[in-house]
Amino acid sequence: MQQRAVQAQKNIVETAIDAGQFTTLVAAVKAAGLVETLSSPGPFTVFAPNDAAFAKIPKETIDHLMENPTQLAEVLKYHVVSGTHMADDIVKMRSIKSLQGSDLEVDTTRGVRINGVSVIQPDIVCSNGVCHVIDSVLIPK
């Protein structure tokens, strides 16, 4: 219980840094210039791909995105939703609009899936929202 209270005091970026499983995501957020946004009061809901999720993408693709901050920001904003949406809220939705502008499809027939990507750890509470760990990177169409 003590750990949860400490974690809730950190914003999304600080929580991702401290977790140790989001090094690529944190590097991408920095490269895209989104640290200030995701550290602001929000609130935000982030579908956060862990390092294993980023490892599924070819290195050339990651390198290309890291060298193109505008394109990288669009991919990252595709993982962020305005407002705090806990897992209990998300399972009642059919879709949810990302900050990138596109809708994310919610499917609960086999666990919770966002655009076909599994939520593997829901409800990591932060001072400015919530993160849900996902097992693949969401790519906008």
Side-chain angles (χ1 to χ4, degrees):
M1 194 69 167
Q2 177 70 19
Q3 184 180 4
R4 183 99 170 165
V6 170
Q7 189 172 18
Q9 295 173 357
K10 295 182 179 177
N11 67 43
I12 289 167
V13 176
E14 294 165 336
T15 300
I17 290 168
D18 285 354
Q21 64 174 328
F22 302 107
T23 56
T24 306
L25 178 60
V26 170
V29 167
K30 289 177 180 177
L34 293 174
V35 171
E36 188 175 329
T37 300
L38 293 176
S39 298
S40 73
F44 302 106
T45 297
V46 178
F47 296 102
N50 60 18
D51 289 335
F54 275 102
K56 296 177 182 180
I57 298 175
K59 183 180 180 332
E60 307 81 53
T61 303
I62 299 282
D63 291 345
H64 171 76
L65 286 170
M66 293 295 228
E67 293 166 6
N68 294 278
T70 304
Q71 189 178 6
L72 179 60
E74 288 303 301
V75 171
L76 294 174
K77 288 191 274 185
Y78 194 60
H79 293 77
V80 182
V81 175
S82 184
T84 300
H85 303 281
M86 303 302 282
D88 287 347
D89 303 319
I90 292 170
V91 298
K92 298 172 189 162
M93 302 174 177
R94 289 181 171 256
S95 68
I96 189 167
K97 187 171 287 302
S98 73
L99 289 187
Q100 181 262 356
S102 300
D103 286 333
L104 300 172
E105 179 185 320
V106 178
D107 176 11
T108 58
T109 56
R110 295 173 294 154
V112 179
R113 298 173 68 81
I114 305 298
N115 281 12
V117 172
S118 294
V119 173
I120 56 175
Q121 184 181 355
D123 297 342
I124 299 172
V125 177
C126 306
S127 64
N128 62 340
V130 62
C131 293
H132 305 287
V133 182
I134 55 176
D135 68 354
S136 296
V137 177
L138 299 169
I139 303 293
K141 293 184 169 89

